């Protein structure tokens, strides 16, 4: 993004006229459009544009949301990594329906994604795990994510324990840690506009095709 475009983003903040809506045809792919918007977010200087809200639902129907980082995506789906013993993983195991939300405020853009999940392969999870810094690898072992601490220094003690245990050689990939792939069946691209006349372009999957429609703001 050029300096002029960044200044335009600044001065039009809240008006949603920073960037035009890309040309969208009947043959347009929602993944190609997401790539374009994701690249725009990266170029804008937004901190952690890969941040996204992940919403799951318990067996009792209670929804919950949290922020995670998107690690990769392609036409098969959107991947993030976590502890498989976490609350979100337990909920995704019992109910595979999920929603994602990206919000790039300075660009007045949102992307809403609805779909189902599947675990990525152990090999893919291990490859990503070993690409992380060593501290994060050890931290994955130390954290019993979403479980209550039994005493104040438990996490600190567990980190010390596993740091010593894996002080030499490669930190092994824990079987309780890995990736989820969100396979979308609905994607909405929301572009803010002045006077709340926002653009809302939706893609819905029908068998092997994506159908398009627009919504009133």
């Amino acid at each position: 993004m050029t300096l002029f475009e960044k200044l335009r983003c600044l001065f039009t903040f809240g008006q949603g006229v920073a960037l035009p809506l890309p040309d969208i045809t009947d043959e347009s792919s929602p993944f190609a459009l997401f790539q374009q918007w994701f690249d725009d977010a990266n170029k804008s200087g937004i901190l952690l544009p890969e941040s996204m809200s992940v919403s799951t639902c318990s067996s009792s129907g209670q929804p919950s949301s949290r922020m995670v980082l998107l690690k990769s995506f392609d036409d098969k789906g959107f991947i993030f990594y976590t502890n498989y013993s976490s609350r979100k993983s337990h909920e995704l195991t019992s109910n595979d329906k999920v929603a994602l939300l990206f919000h790039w405020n300075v660009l007045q853009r949102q992307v809403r994604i609805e779909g189902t999940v599947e675990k990525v392969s152990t090999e893919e999870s291990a490859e990503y795990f070993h690409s992380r810094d060593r501290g994060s690898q050890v931290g994955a072992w130390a954290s019993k994510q979403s479980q209550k601490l039994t005493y104040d220094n438990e996490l600190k003690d567990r980190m010390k324990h596993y740091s010593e245990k894996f002080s030499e050689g490669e930190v092994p990939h824990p079987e309780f840690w890995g990736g989820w792939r969100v396979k979308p069946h609905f994607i909405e691209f929301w572009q803010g506009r002045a006077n709340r006349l926002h653009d809302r372009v939706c893609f819905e999957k029908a068998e092997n095709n994506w159908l398009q429609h627009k919504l009133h703001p």
Side-chain angles (χ1 to χ4, degrees):
M1 179 174 287
T2 66
L3 176 60
F4 173 77
E5 289 172 325
K6 290 181 178 180
L7 289 172
R8 193 178 179 201
C9 284
L10 177 64
F11 287 114
T12 61
F13 183 74
Q15 295 300 310
V17 292
L19 293 172
L21 194 69
D23 291 333
I24 300 174
T25 68
D26 291 340
E27 290 73 37
S28 294
S29 161
F31 299 103
L33 182 54
F34 181 85
Q35 179 72 69
Q36 183 176 347
W37 278 31
F38 189 71
D39 290 344
D40 288 342
N42 265 304
K43 294 173 185 177
S44 73
I46 294 173
L47 181 64
L48 296 177
E50 66 271 29
S51 298
M52 62 182 183
S53 170
V54 176
S55 297
T56 59
C57 200
S58 70
S59 57
S60 65
Q62 175 62 54
S64 61
S65 300
R66 71 287 292 162
M67 300 300 294
V68 304
L69 299 181
L70 174 71
K71 292 303 178 180
S72 64
F73 66 91
D74 55 24
D75 57 6
K76 295 179 182 178
F78 301 81
I79 295 176
F80 66 93
Y81 291 87
T82 188
N83 189 313
Y84 285 144
S85 297
S86 64
R87 175 180 174 177
K88 59 182 169 296
S89 289
H90 282 302
E91 292 182 350
L92 290 172
T93 298
S94 61
N95 179 354
D96 67 351
K97 295 179 177 61
V98 66
L100 306 179
L101 174 64
F102 293 86
H103 181 212
W104 299 310
N105 194 34
V106 72
L107 300 178
Q108 286 292 288
R109 283 179 172 177
Q110 299 181 65
V111 181
R112 296 178 52 246
I113 299 170
E114 298 173 9
T116 57
V117 295
E118 65 181 11
K119 288 183 177 179
V120 306
S121 68
T122 301
E123 293 75 18
E124 191 171 357
S125 291
E127 181 180 1
Y128 173 71
F129 179 81
H130 289 122
S131 74
R132 306 171 87 206
D133 66 84
R134 191 176 186 85
S136 295
Q137 293 180 43
V138 175
W141 280 94
S143 174
K144 297 190 287 186
Q145 194 173 32
S146 299
Q147 297 185 36
K148 292 180 180 179
L149 292 170
T150 57
Y151 60 96
D152 286 348
N153 290 325
E154 181 186 7
L155 187 58
K156 181 179 178 181
D157 290 346
R158 287 178 61 84
M159 188 68 177
K160 181 175 183 294
H161 167 75
Y162 284 106
S163 294
E164 293 172 352
K165 182 175 181 177
F166 303 131
S167 61
E168 297 181 5
E170 184 177 77
V171 178
H173 166 234
E175 63 180 14
F176 56 79
W177 190 97
W180 288 103
R181 176 182 288 105
V182 177
K183 301 181 295 180
H185 55 69
F186 173 86
I187 304 178
E188 177 186 335
F189 296 87
W190 184 99
Q191 174 68 70
R193 296 295 180 207
N195 303 315
R196 297 190 60 79
L197 299 179
H198 314 309
D199 292 314
R200 298 180 64 184
V201 181
C202 302
F203 292 79
E204 289 193 79
K205 195 167 187 179
E207 297 183 352
N208 294 322
N209 298 316
W210 286 93
L211 304 179
Q212 293 179 39
H213 62 268
K214 293 184 178 181
L215 298 177
H216 281 275

